[in-house]
Amino acid sequence: MRYASRTKPRVNSFFVPAVEESMRIMFHSCNGFSVGTDEEAYSGAALWNDVARKHREKPFHVMIGGGDQIYNDGIRVSGPLRPWSDISNPKKRKDHPFPESLREECDDYYLKNYIRWYSVEPFAAVNGQIPQLNIWDDHDSTTLTAQIIDGFGSYTNEFMKCDVFRGIGGTAHKYYMLFQHHLPPPVSTYTSDAVPAAKNEEGQGIDPNQFMNTYVHPQIQEPNYIHGPKAGPYVAEHSHNIFAQLGARIAFLGIDARTERTRHQVNYSETYNAIFTRLKQELTAAATSGRPYKHLILLLGIPIAYPRLTWLENIFSSPLMGPIKLLNRRMGLGGSFFNSFDGSVDLLDDLDDHYTARTHKKERNWLIEKLQGICAEFSIRTTILSGDVHLAALGRFYANPRLNIPTEQDYRYIVNIISSAIVNKPPPAAVANLLARRNKIHHLNHNTSETLLKLFDKDPGNSQITANHNRHKAAAFPAQHGRGSDGSLDVCICVEIDQHDRQGRTQGMG
């Protein structure tokens, strides 16, 4: 492909697998730094050098982004939302308007931040050579909730419906669609000045101020997308879920688990119906053609096979926290332990975000059992890709050992590959140790067990230290995938050896 731009290579190469080969896949998440991180201490975006190196050795056919492909958190620190975030009273912050003038400022911020980050090397060079499939997560928005704002959708309903959250969610979605899906944005996004929605409109009304003297591209309907039947509760847009074929034998399904998210749901039941109806149609058509899919890759931004922290949820949401919250609002007791948006414990939105949270448990269990039914009906293996948590891991669902079913014949066997951040810093060692200690065998139902595999037996590099946990940055690169004919995945998690190495050298594990 030839580019007219003087700032990019004039020629870039893309690689396509042979007709009987599956694609070689690179998977990553958390592609940026949270506000306040010492970026030099982690050598910037160094692991993209390793991606480029491996791509030169043996090209990737597709790059899958599991969420947080960009961090827009700076909008509340050095951007137009700084005055709003400085308001100390949660009620005043909730009631703050999002007028057209503030929308314009936020719009400019998102545009410039996307251009800035997509020009950062070595990410920019890789971005121009490997086709992408992306699903957004909270930081793609802002991190009030991160691509949106950290934990977007998992704060209280009253706060999520405030003007600023609705406005910033719409602006984040606009640039997510434009930069990560190359689709034209909606005609207008939310402002508190907007006219009410007409009968044939959803969410908010069309704001004529936003397309004066502006070219508005007609909406594009692409067959890859499975649109949610109704707009989200806070981001007034329809979810964009993806179905794609990754070469021979492998199907890809990406579920947009952010647009429709609330504290009590991840996706609407109508959206799940649309997704699984389309999936069954695709799998049936492939089987009928004599070229059936052998493997389904499901992309979920948040891990679904992960240690439970229900006891922490119970403590943080307990009425006993009430007096401490009051002292925090009046005297600042507890400092950053409480978030500045709705006064809740800061970690609670992260816990509520997880599929393993008690509020999402029923939906999570239904989803896994639905996938197991698909596996049984179509004799297909499912692997789930997730990110978000900055800790690489490998979870699995499998038939209860008392059933004595070999793994090769076990339709309940589903692996959840979890990538840590390709750019962002890892969590503190205490968090990693806590999660390691909380790992145990759980039971999804009477016939399905689940747990994390003990994958990391030593630190990367020449170190002989045994790794009790993984705090290194990592991305998942299937190593020799695409050469066989059985549709299997050969997964290698590439773990950073030295955070100070700007070449981003890694060691493969798994």
Side-chain angles (χ1 to χ4, degrees):
M1 179 171 288
R2 298 182 181 277
Y3 292 94
S5 171
R6 295 179 181 177
T7 61
K8 294 181 70 71
R10 286 304 178 95
V11 178
N12 263 337
S13 298
F14 295 87
F15 295 84
V16 178
V19 68
E20 290 298 328
E21 291 182 353
S22 301
M23 289 188 177
R24 187 165 186 254
I25 303 161
M26 178 267 179
F27 169 62
H28 69 94
S29 67
C30 303
N31 181 36
F33 286 107
S34 300
V35 170
T37 302
D38 184 352
E39 298 183 16
E40 288 303 308
Y42 293 93
S43 304
L47 282 187
W48 286 106
N49 284 317
D50 195 56
V51 176
R53 192 159 45 242
K54 287 178 167 56
H55 183 61
R56 288 192 298 269
E57 295 168 358
K58 188 173 181 182
F60 296 111
H61 301 117
V62 66
M63 184 163 70
I64 296 176
D68 301 342
Q69 279 72 250
I70 184 172
Y71 278 62
N72 291 305
D73 308 17
I75 195 170
R76 64 180 172 86
V77 177
S78 57
L81 289 185
R82 176 62 187 267
W84 175 77
S85 63
D86 283 344
I87 298 173
S88 58
N89 186 304
K91 186 179 186 305
K92 290 181 179 180
R93 194 181 301 111
K94 177 178 73 68
D95 294 338
H96 196 281
F98 193 78
E100 172 62 16
S101 57
L102 182 55
R103 185 207 62 79
E104 283 186 0
E105 292 181 61
C106 292
D107 202 275
D108 287 344
Y109 181 91
Y110 272 92
L111 175 61
K112 291 175 182 177
N113 196 46
Y114 261 102
I115 292 172
R116 177 196 65 81
W117 182 245
Y118 276 48
S119 301
V120 169
E121 297 292 355
F123 171 59
V126 174
N127 212 19
Q129 298 177 57
I130 308 174
Q132 301 171 49
L133 290 169
N134 294 321
I135 290 292
W136 72 337
D137 200 23
D138 51 359
H139 286 270
D140 295 284
S141 172
T142 83
T143 149
L144 295 173
T145 63
Q147 289 167 43
I148 314 175
I149 288 177
D150 185 30
F152 191 90
S154 293
Y155 294 99
T156 62
N157 182 67
E158 182 184 21
F159 205 84
M160 284 300 307
K161 286 192 170 180
C162 76
D163 285 335
V164 172
F165 263 56
R166 293 175 69 186
I168 204 66
T171 305
H173 183 270
K174 169 182 176 177
Y175 284 100
Y176 161 64
M177 297 309 298
L178 185 61
F179 277 84
Q180 298 194 40
H181 292 273
H182 308 150
L183 291 175
V187 174
S188 64
T189 59
Y190 179 86
T191 72
S192 50
D193 300 336
V195 296
K199 288 183 179 179
N200 61 339
E201 295 173 348
E202 288 189 276
Q204 68 263 341
I206 301 298
D207 183 0
N209 294 317
Q210 296 183 40
F211 52 91
M212 286 192 303
N213 302 317
T214 302
Y215 172 70
V216 179
H217 195 287
Q219 291 298 301
I220 297 175
Q221 297 294 325
E222 292 193 356
N224 298 74
Y225 293 100
I226 309 164
H227 297 99
K230 58 182 182 180
Y234 310 131
V235 178
E237 303 294 340
H238 293 254
S239 62
H240 281 63
N241 309 282
I242 305 173
F243 180 88
Q245 181 175 348
L246 303 186
R249 301 177 298 280
I250 293 185
F252 171 83
L253 180 64
I255 295 183
D256 177 352
R258 190 56 59 180
T259 304
E260 300 171 359
R261 179 182 288 268
T262 70
R263 259 188 168 171
H264 303 289
Q265 74 174 29
V266 180
N267 288 98
Y268 296 132
S269 59
E270 297 92 335
T271 299
Y272 282 124
N273 289 339
I275 289 171
F276 282 103
T277 296
R278 171 67 179 276
L279 178 60
K280 283 193 170 188
Q281 290 172 349
E282 296 286 351
L283 296 181
T284 299
T288 304
S289 72
R291 296 172 63 86
Y293 291 111
K294 296 294 185 182
H295 213 118
L296 171 64
I297 294 179
L298 173 64
L299 177 59
L300 299 173
I302 308 291
I304 199 165
Y306 205 64
R308 273 75 159 162
L309 293 173
T310 308
W311 60 279
L312 268 181
E313 292 180 69
N314 292 336
I315 292 173
F316 292 160
S317 58
S318 167
L320 296 176
M321 296 298 296
I324 304 176
K325 290 181 185 179
L326 179 62
L327 289 172
N328 173 259
R329 289 195 298 270
R330 298 285 176 84
M331 305 171 59
L333 180 69
S336 60
F337 182 71
F338 297 90
N339 73 60
S340 59
F341 301 115
D342 61 0
S344 298
V345 176
D346 192 46
L347 277 175
L348 186 58
D349 68 280
D350 290 314
L351 296 175
D352 282 345
D353 233 22
H354 283 207
Y355 280 101
T356 51
R358 65 177 185 273
T359 52
H360 298 312
K361 183 178 179 180
K362 185 177 179 180
E363 181 177 353
R364 168 191 184 267
N365 292 357
W366 175 88
L367 178 57
I368 293 300
E369 289 174 346
K370 186 73 173 177
L371 289 168
Q372 290 176 336
I374 293 287
C375 293
E377 181 178 352
F378 293 94
S379 298
I380 192 171
R381 178 70 76 200
T382 294
T383 295
I384 301 172
L385 303 180
S386 303
D388 183 71
V389 292
H390 300 189
L391 284 169
L394 200 154
R396 60 173 180 150
F397 300 91
Y398 55 97
N400 192 310
R402 66 174 175 75
L403 298 176
N404 198 30
I405 299 175
T407 300
E408 295 81 2
Q409 301 171 21
D410 183 9
Y411 67 82
R412 298 180 182 87
Y413 189 86
I414 296 176
V415 171
N416 187 190
I417 298 167
I418 303 162
S419 170
S420 59
I422 193 167
V423 171
N424 210 346
K425 66 179 181 180
V431 174
N433 286 328
L434 171 64
L435 289 169
R437 287 195 296 269
R438 294 298 301 170
N439 180 40
K440 57 184 67 174
I441 295 176
H442 295 274
H443 300 286
L444 179 81
N445 53 40
H446 191 58
N447 292 325
T448 305
S449 300
E450 57 176 290
T451 190
L452 290 182
L453 286 175
K454 293 183 178 179
L455 184 63
F456 304 101
D457 57 358
K458 65 182 290 294
D459 282 346
N462 296 321
S463 169
Q464 297 303 308
I465 299 174
T466 299
N468 296 320
H469 46 75
N470 168 43
R471 291 185 60 250
H472 301 271
K473 294 186 289 187
F477 307 137
Q480 299 298 324
H481 174 60
R483 300 299 180 186
S485 59
D486 61 354
S488 62
L489 285 180
D490 304 315
V491 177
C492 175
I493 296 179
C494 295
V495 183
E496 184 179 49
I497 296 173
D498 181 1
Q499 72 180 55
H500 302 295
D501 177 13
R502 290 200 166 271
Q503 293 306 307
R505 295 176 181 86
T506 65
Q507 178 175 332
M509 295 186 177

